[in-house]
Amino acid sequence: MTFCMHKGRTISYRLLGDSAKPLLVLAHPLGMTQGIWDDMLPALLDNFRIITWDLPGHGASSAWPEEAGAIEAQDLAEEALALAEIAGAQTFHFAGTSIGGVIGQQLLSQHPDRLLSATLTNTGPVIGTPDGWLQRSVAVMEQGLEAMAKDIVPRWFGPRACEQQPALIDGWRVQLGRTDKRSYALLCEMLGRCNFTEAFKGKQLPKVNVIAGTDDVATPPSSLEALSSALGAAAPLVWENVGHVPAVECPEKMAELLVKQTA
């Protein structure tokens, strides 16, 4: 794990692999950490140099500063670009899940020339509703994430993953409870403002892969179908018995797709 300063705030990141290989930037979901990619790394490092990082207030990254105001999708995209600059890469492959997929959409809408490809999983041009995200933001600030984790985390994983990994939910409840509640709340509010439905019209986009899970209750396949339509991309790949986090639930399958689709 390494740290850098970006706009006065510390970002925790990992830069792994051979500098001669193409860069792959990986963005994790809300409430999780860059650790979701760990089981994929052995397969990916044969083909890529890799950057992972923790979002504001998540993992070992510092909280969003009080004086900085709201978080916007552009702020998170700028973090990804800053990390690519650290790696010395003008262009890179990108993969992101949930809010990580929102970061990918922001990059596609504003910086498509920087992307060699984008793989967006379990996300959408619109996720949830503004009122729903505002209500969660308020609840998080009032109750704290440790109290809310028991209701949030079970929505992340499908039944098969929970059967195969009995400690999965409890482990991620602990991690979510350690996340900075204000940063999380601001990211909820950001998601309520994001709408990429018209963002890609007239854009020259790189190759984009879209992935859904049949057991994803947060961003069901219909959300990914809407994203494919907005992007003008092929219909989403819909993976059976997968919930919201394929990097955790089926890491081998996810890694195989990234290697194949970004080759």
Side-chain angles (χ1 to χ4, degrees):
M1 187 184 301
T2 312
F3 299 93
C4 68
M5 294 297 294
H6 176 69
K7 296 188 173 180
R9 190 179 63 80
T10 304
I11 296 175
S12 167
Y13 74 97
R14 294 181 296 188
L15 176 58
L16 306 169
D18 185 348
S19 61
K21 293 177 179 176
L23 183 68
L24 171 62
V25 178
L26 301 170
H28 70 77
L30 180 68
M32 303 186 85
T33 70
Q34 62 186 311
I36 71 159
W37 310 108
D38 286 357
D39 289 343
M40 294 171 51
L41 293 177
L44 293 176
L45 284 168
D46 286 339
N47 296 272
F48 304 104
R49 195 179 196 200
I50 293 173
I51 279 185
T52 68
W53 85 105
D54 290 324
L55 295 179
H58 291 58
S61 287
S62 62
W64 194 251
E66 291 281 346
E67 65 276 11
I71 303 176
E72 302 297 346
Q74 178 60 26
D75 295 315
L76 305 182
E78 287 176 0
E79 290 190 0
L81 293 171
L83 291 168
E85 301 254 338
I86 288 173
Q90 268 303 113
T91 58
F92 54 92
H93 298 283
F94 179 90
T97 294
S98 191
I99 197 173
V102 170
I103 298 171
Q105 292 176 70
Q106 183 68 31
L107 289 167
L108 285 166
S109 67
Q110 289 202 320
H111 307 281
D113 57 312
R114 300 293 303 272
L115 298 182
L116 299 169
S117 73
T119 299
L120 309 178
T121 95
N122 308 82
T123 188
V126 176
I127 302 176
T129 66
D131 283 348
W133 285 115
L134 183 58
Q135 288 172 17
R136 183 182 291 193
S137 173
V138 171
V140 165
M141 293 304 292
E142 290 178 348
Q143 300 175 37
L145 282 167
E146 188 172 0
M148 293 185 66
K150 66 181 186 300
D151 297 318
I152 294 173
V153 173
R155 292 170 53 84
W156 291 350
F157 307 109
R160 175 180 287 183
C162 295
E163 291 169 7
Q164 293 174 340
Q165 305 177 59
L168 185 64
I169 288 178
D170 282 344
W172 281 105
R173 279 174 176 160
V174 172
Q175 181 61 61
L176 178 58
R178 294 173 176 168
T179 302
D180 176 65
K181 69 177 184 179
R182 179 175 172 273
S183 300
Y184 183 101
L186 289 173
L187 289 168
C188 288
E189 294 169 17
M190 183 206 87
L191 288 172
R193 292 190 296 273
C194 285
N195 187 331
F196 290 93
T197 305
E198 305 292 329
F200 311 111
K201 290 188 174 179
K203 303 284 186 182
Q204 187 77 29
L205 300 179
K207 183 176 183 179
V208 181
N209 308 297
V210 178
I211 301 169
T214 58
D215 295 341
D216 186 354
V217 296
T219 52
S222 59
S223 181
L224 281 300
E225 290 166 4
L227 177 57
S228 290
S229 177
L231 289 162
L237 298 172
V238 182
W239 288 350
E240 296 290 331
N241 302 308
V242 174
H244 193 58
V245 197
V248 171
E249 298 176 71
C250 54
E252 298 88 357
K253 187 173 185 175
M254 182 73 182
E256 181 181 4
L257 178 134
L258 286 174
V259 170
K260 179 181 177 182
Q261 296 299 325
T262 58

